[in-house]
Amino acid sequence: MDQLNLSSNQEHIIDVLIRKNPDLDRGILSKAVAFIAQAHEGQYRKSGMPYTEHPYEVAKILADLKQDQPTVLAGLLHDVVEDTDHSLEELAEMFGEDTAFMVDAVTKITAAQEANKTAQKAETYRKLIIAMAKDPRVIMIKIADRIHNMRTMRYMKPEKRQLIAQETLDIYIPLTHRFGLYKLKNELEDLSFKYVNPDEYQKLVDALIENKESREQYIQSVIGPLQIKMALEDFDCTIQGRTKNIYSIYNKMLSRGCQFEDIFDIFAIRIIVESIPECYLALGYVHNLWTPLQSRFKDYIATPKPNLYQSIHTTVIGPDNKMVEVQIRTKDMDLTAEKGFAAHWAYKLETQHEGEELAWLNHMVKLQSEISDSKEYLDFLKVDLKPSGMTVFTPKGTSIELPQGAIVLDFAFAVHTELGLHCIGAKINDEVVNLDTVVTHGATIQILKSPHQEPSPEWLEMVKTVKAKQELRRWMRNSMIQQSKDLGKEIWIRELRLAKIEKDKRPAEEAINKYFGTTSVDDFYERIGQGELPLVDIQRFLNGDRAQNGNDSAKALKFFPSFNKDKKAEYRDEMPLQIGRETSLMIHFAKCCAPVPGDKIVGVLRPQIGIEVHNEDCPELKKLTDGQQIAVQWSEQSTHAFEVHLSIENDNRKNFTYDVLKALKDENLFMDRISSAGVNYSGRVRLVFKAYRKEQVDNLISNIKKIPGVRQVVKS
């Protein structure tokens, strides 16, 4: 009886698969269904159901997406190698190389193959991305697998559910967007949201149920006039109304900082027509009925999304003066919007032409090969997989895909690394903009560059794309090596001059390497510049070298700078290094005292950092050991602006912040940020601004002290 029931169940599964996709072969499906029943015999899901329920459901999802025979077979067989004793070679022989390749691609790297879970997860994703680039059908199996697992998550422990749901939000939902699988994306979003934030999820479910009747009435109040208008124009189309998914409504609430009751666009009206010209004709009819909002108009037909999505989106002031979103598309566009790239799968595979819609996969394969650290790679995936959201263009019309919030600098690096490294700004619609300007969808951008421009560390905080960050880090690593060598050489020559060692009597490279354990003179310079060799060690080496040549080492010592913390004057005159001539990655300005040109300063050698510049009276200097300090002074050629922090204690009164900003403006200084707080009669203002000289800071502090109610002003 059991065997008969099992056979009946198998026949039912095969019937369902063929009904969903008539192109599937019954004979090979029968073979695969019988094979997995035997392979997974005795295995059960957390729900208590036979394990075969899972591969059956995965295959149904794939058949519904009209996937081909090898893909549906791989869906049925995807857990066989991971969870049974059967091998890939066996699958290849029975069901073909294509199917075996896809099964291997979705099989996890085992814990035994990797040292820890982070590395295991990272390597599994690396393997998946590489396989996707070779055969994009792989991701369809992985998404179908995740969909069914999410549908049955209620049988898992709460902490496990939350981990899987968060991973789905980070990795799998961006993938569904990349492939245009919006129907599956919406389902995955709501299922993930349900487990990641169950309280907010339930609140929204209750709210949607509560206003369901009034919402449906309003949708009909929009559809009714549209149907009448189209009938009067003798225009054939289909009009639908749908409520947006729960997770997208929640994101709207977060981004707008409002409650559910304040969200006007929780539903959308969709008009489906036969041809592209009819899309624009329908748009005209909609705008004849209601006033459009130009700022919310998007034409994804003229500029399709990278995942092939096409549609016209317009927002109008509908009945009762409420905003209504209307989407207009052809039947083919609607199929693509529902099934994404999969809707065109057969054609794409036959022609072997993926086009630009899959270029991001090759881009990811290239980038991931440059990231060796597992944690960094997982962070990269979470950022780079996210949907781009916009396409921008070069002056020649080449399209560039960028994430929301990307700036001109991201675009420059996307076009070419050298363009990014020397970018000084851009022209957008004939308007010159800064390199940190946020770019918008559809913009044509011309990058402006200068051979004298070089990146600064602040750029790393500004850019959004992984490529820009990687190229900047690479440039900075290389620049730091060269700059540390240059700085180290400058310090070494300075010490030789202070010791009055003539050129022909300087220590040989062999002696230097032997004493300091370096491999070359460049390595020696680099270690000095990075602050790894204390000055006292260099001085000890030079003194010993001179003593061996018959010189009085005690006499030689007097030529070295004294770094006694109680004798500040002595290290100001000992051939100080020039600071502030140009941007250097090896010279840093201490935040504890924030020196600006005009302050009396001293340098501190910090291992792996270089020189840290402090004010001469900075309390932090008292914590240093001898040999860390080095004489420095401001270069007269310094043209850089330096960040200054002021803390202002004041009487808590109206317009005090305005008075501070006016004092700043009077000194022609640039404000970075300002904050204020007050309790009862006391207030505090924190001001951050840029200054070029000490005199500017002193004048500003003096003028702020003259403001009524000021109690104290200090640099912080």
Side-chain angles (χ1 to χ4, degrees):
M1 180 65 71
D2 287 345
Q3 182 62 40
L4 180 62
N5 289 337
L6 184 61
S7 295
S8 299
N9 186 46
Q10 289 175 8
E11 288 297 332
H12 173 70
I13 293 298
I14 294 163
D15 288 341
V16 170
L17 293 175
I18 291 176
R19 188 163 61 248
K20 288 177 177 292
N21 185 357
D23 293 335
L24 298 176
D25 181 86
R26 177 176 288 273
I28 193 70
L29 285 178
S30 300
K31 183 179 177 182
V33 168
F35 179 79
I36 64 169
Q38 176 271 321
H40 291 294
E41 187 176 6
Q43 296 178 353
Y44 295 90
R45 302 270 288 170
K46 295 282 186 185
S47 62
M49 295 291 290
Y51 192 85
T52 48
E53 177 204 33
H54 175 61
Y56 290 160
E57 292 301 319
V58 170
K60 286 179 187 177
I61 294 169
L62 293 168
D64 192 48
L65 289 168
K66 301 296 184 285
Q67 295 298 287
D68 61 12
Q69 185 83 42
T71 310
V72 175
L73 286 175
L76 284 167
L77 301 161
H78 75 276
D79 278 335
V80 167
V81 174
E82 192 173 318
D83 295 336
T84 76
D85 294 331
H86 293 283
S87 67
L88 278 172
E89 291 75 19
E90 193 176 350
L91 295 188
E93 186 177 341
M94 293 180 68
F95 302 104
E97 293 289 344
D98 271 9
T99 296
F101 172 81
M102 287 186 272
V103 170
D104 181 43
V106 298
T107 299
K108 294 176 186 173
I109 301 288
T110 62
Q113 291 173 275
E114 291 297 331
N116 57 61
K117 285 189 175 181
T118 300
Q120 177 191 0
K121 186 174 287 189
E123 290 310 306
T124 297
Y125 284 135
R126 287 181 195 273
K127 175 183 174 184
L128 179 64
I129 296 294
I130 291 171
M132 281 165 52
K134 291 180 180 177
D135 190 338
R137 292 175 297 179
V138 166
I139 197 54
M140 307 307 295
I141 302 162
K142 201 65 182 173
I143 290 172
D145 175 44
R146 181 52 60 114
I147 281 279
H148 185 251
N149 281 332
M150 291 295 294
R151 287 173 180 171
T152 57
M153 274 238 290
R154 61 186 178 277
Y155 299 107
M156 292 185 172
K157 293 180 180 178
E159 57 272 18
K160 183 75 170 176
R161 290 200 298 252
Q162 197 158 27
L163 281 173
I164 293 173
Q166 189 60 56
E167 181 188 39
T168 303
L169 284 171
D170 290 338
I171 306 295
Y172 290 95
I173 288 170
L175 279 172
T176 58
H177 184 100
R178 287 280 191 174
F179 283 92
L181 300 164
Y182 290 106
K183 186 176 179 181
L184 298 183
K185 172 179 174 285
N186 291 343
E187 183 180 357
L188 277 178
E189 282 180 338
D190 286 351
L191 286 169
S192 300
F193 182 40
K194 177 180 178 180
Y195 295 114
V196 168
N197 198 337
D199 293 340
E200 290 298 325
Y201 173 84
Q202 195 57 51
K203 283 181 188 176
L204 282 176
V205 169
D206 294 342
L208 286 168
I209 292 172
E210 186 178 337
N211 76 354
K212 181 180 179 182
E213 186 176 344
S214 62
R215 187 171 67 253
E216 289 179 349
Q217 286 176 356
Y218 187 81
I219 289 174
Q220 287 306 312
S221 75
V222 176
I223 290 178
L226 268 175
Q227 288 174 328
I228 293 171
K229 175 68 175 175
M230 299 307 182
L232 289 172
E233 300 292 346
D234 195 23
F235 186 77
D236 188 24
C237 65
T238 302
I239 304 174
Q240 305 167 344
R242 66 172 185 89
T243 300
K244 294 182 178 179
N245 68 306
I246 297 169
Y247 187 66
S248 71
I249 295 171
Y250 178 70
N251 278 334
K252 288 178 189 293
M253 289 167 56
L254 287 182
S255 63
R256 298 173 190 176
C258 61
Q259 298 301 310
F260 175 80
E261 296 76 19
D262 304 316
I263 299 291
F264 62 86
D265 52 349
I266 63 172
F267 62 87
I269 304 299
R270 186 172 296 160
I271 301 174
I272 300 172
V273 298
E274 290 291 337
S275 66
I276 290 177
E278 288 180 349
C279 289
Y280 293 97
L281 197 56
L283 177 67
Y285 294 148
V286 171
H287 287 179
N288 282 340
L289 273 178
W290 298 297
T291 303
L293 294 175
Q294 293 300 326
S295 61
R296 296 180 62 86
F297 176 78
K298 293 177 182 176
D299 188 349
Y300 293 116
I301 294 178
T303 309
K305 290 187 178 183
N307 58 19
L308 298 181
Y309 178 84
Q310 288 182 288
S311 185
I312 294 173
H313 291 196
T314 185
T315 299
V316 297
I317 305 299
D320 302 330
N321 286 323
K322 293 181 180 179
M323 285 188 276
V324 179
E325 181 184 334
V326 181
Q327 301 169 358
I328 306 169
R329 60 181 67 146
T330 66
K331 289 179 180 178
D332 187 56
M333 291 172 191
D334 193 53
L335 178 65
T336 302
E338 182 174 329
K339 298 189 176 179
F341 190 66
H344 304 269
W345 213 265
Y347 169 74
K348 292 292 179 183
L349 290 176
E350 283 173 13
T351 59
Q352 294 295 304
H353 175 67
E354 286 89 2
E356 289 188 7
E357 60 271 9
L358 289 181
W360 62 273
L361 262 178
N362 294 322
H363 169 73
M364 287 199 71
V365 171
K366 181 182 177 183
L367 284 180
Q368 76 173 19
S369 67
E370 300 172 4
I371 305 174
S372 56
D373 182 76
S374 296
K375 185 179 183 305
E376 186 181 348
Y377 175 68
L378 292 175
D379 291 340
F380 150 75
L381 272 187
K382 291 174 187 177
V383 172
D384 216 57
L385 272 179
K386 279 189 168 54
S388 65
M390 62 179 173
T391 302
V392 291
F393 300 91
T394 68
K396 292 183 178 180
T398 304
S399 62
I400 302 288
E401 184 184 347
L402 290 174
Q404 290 289 351
I407 61 174
V408 163
L409 201 53
D410 289 300
F411 174 81
F413 276 106
V415 175
H416 196 281
T417 299
E418 285 300 310
L419 203 58
L421 293 175
H422 301 295
C423 174
I424 58 173
K427 269 188 178 181
I428 301 179
N429 301 328
D430 293 326
E431 180 185 353
V432 176
V433 298
N434 294 329
L435 53 78
D436 61 349
T437 300
V438 176
V439 300
T440 55
H441 178 75
T444 297
I445 305 170
Q446 178 187 350
I447 294 297
L448 305 176
K449 64 176 183 175
S450 166
H452 305 295
Q453 174 75 304
E454 286 190 344
S456 68
E458 290 77 20
W459 286 17
L460 266 176
E461 303 300 320
M462 292 161 47
V463 294
K464 300 293 186 295
T465 59
V466 172
K467 181 181 180 184
K469 288 182 184 293
Q470 280 189 319
E471 296 299 343
L472 283 170
R473 287 194 188 106
R474 183 181 291 112
W475 182 89
M476 286 178 186
R477 278 196 301 269
N478 295 335
S479 295
M480 284 179 72
I481 291 172
Q482 187 56 51
Q483 288 183 19
S484 61
K485 288 177 184 177
D486 294 342
L487 179 60
K489 185 175 182 180
E490 189 175 353
I491 293 172
W492 172 244
I493 291 173
R494 169 186 174 278
E495 293 300 323
L496 290 171
R497 287 176 177 170
L498 285 169
K500 295 189 177 179
I501 298 176
E502 296 175 7
K503 203 167 187 179
D504 59 343
K505 293 182 180 179
R506 291 179 180 178
E509 181 177 341
E510 184 180 345
I512 293 172
N513 291 336
K514 183 177 180 181
Y515 187 89
F516 291 100
T518 51
T519 57
S520 66
V521 71
D522 277 347
D523 182 31
F524 173 63
Y525 291 154
E526 186 179 339
R527 289 183 62 187
I528 295 176
Q530 289 183 346
E532 294 181 8
L533 295 180
L535 288 181
V536 288
D537 288 354
I538 296 172
Q539 294 160 9
R540 192 178 297 115
F541 168 68
L542 289 176
N543 286 334
D545 184 67
R546 286 173 62 79
Q548 290 170 12
N549 285 287
N551 294 300
D552 184 355
S553 61
K555 184 178 179 182
L557 274 172
K558 73 177 184 180
F559 295 110
F560 286 93
S562 170
F563 295 104
N564 188 314
K565 290 187 276 290
D566 297 324
K567 297 182 179 179
K568 299 173 186 174
E570 293 187 28
Y571 55 70
R572 283 209 306 274
D573 303 321
E574 304 286 353
M575 296 185 184
L577 296 176
Q578 299 293 300
I579 298 295
R581 286 172 298 182
E582 57 189 21
T583 301
S584 173
L585 298 173
M586 303 309 300
I587 296 176
H588 309 269
F589 297 93
K591 293 183 178 179
C592 52
C593 54
V596 294
D599 285 332
K600 293 178 180 179
I601 53 175
V602 60
V604 177
L605 284 170
R606 298 282 195 190
Q608 299 298 318
I609 292 176
I611 294 178
E612 187 176 72
V613 181
H614 289 255
N615 280 326
E616 195 178 77
D617 56 359
C618 179
E620 291 296 313
L621 295 178
K622 295 178 181 178
K623 302 176 184 178
L624 302 176
T625 58
D626 289 336
Q628 283 185 268
Q629 297 179 19
I630 185 169
V632 295
Q633 72 177 22
W634 295 108
S635 167
E636 293 181 359
Q637 302 170 13
S638 176
T639 58
H640 297 290
F642 292 81
E643 191 174 272
V644 182
H645 295 241
L646 292 185
S647 178
I648 307 165
E649 304 286 340
N650 60 284
D651 296 339
N652 193 10
R653 66 171 177 82
K654 285 185 178 180
N655 298 324
F656 182 80
T657 302
Y658 170 81
D659 291 341
V660 172
L661 291 175
K662 186 176 182 302
L664 191 74
K665 181 176 179 292
D666 291 343
E667 288 297 322
N668 292 317
L669 294 171
F670 304 101
M671 184 190 76
D672 269 3
R673 54 192 180 275
I674 189 170
S675 63
S676 62
V679 178
N680 297 327
Y681 299 104
S682 298
R684 173 180 290 169
V685 172
R686 296 190 184 277
L687 175 66
V688 182
F689 63 96
K690 294 285 181 66
Y692 291 91
R693 306 291 300 172
K694 180 178 183 293
E695 291 81 359
Q696 291 177 301
V697 180
D698 291 342
N699 289 341
L700 178 64
I701 291 175
S702 175
N703 290 335
I704 289 176
K705 285 180 177 179
K706 296 174 184 176
I707 297 174
V710 171
R711 301 175 184 177
Q712 185 182 31
V713 183
V714 293
K715 282 178 67 179
S716 58

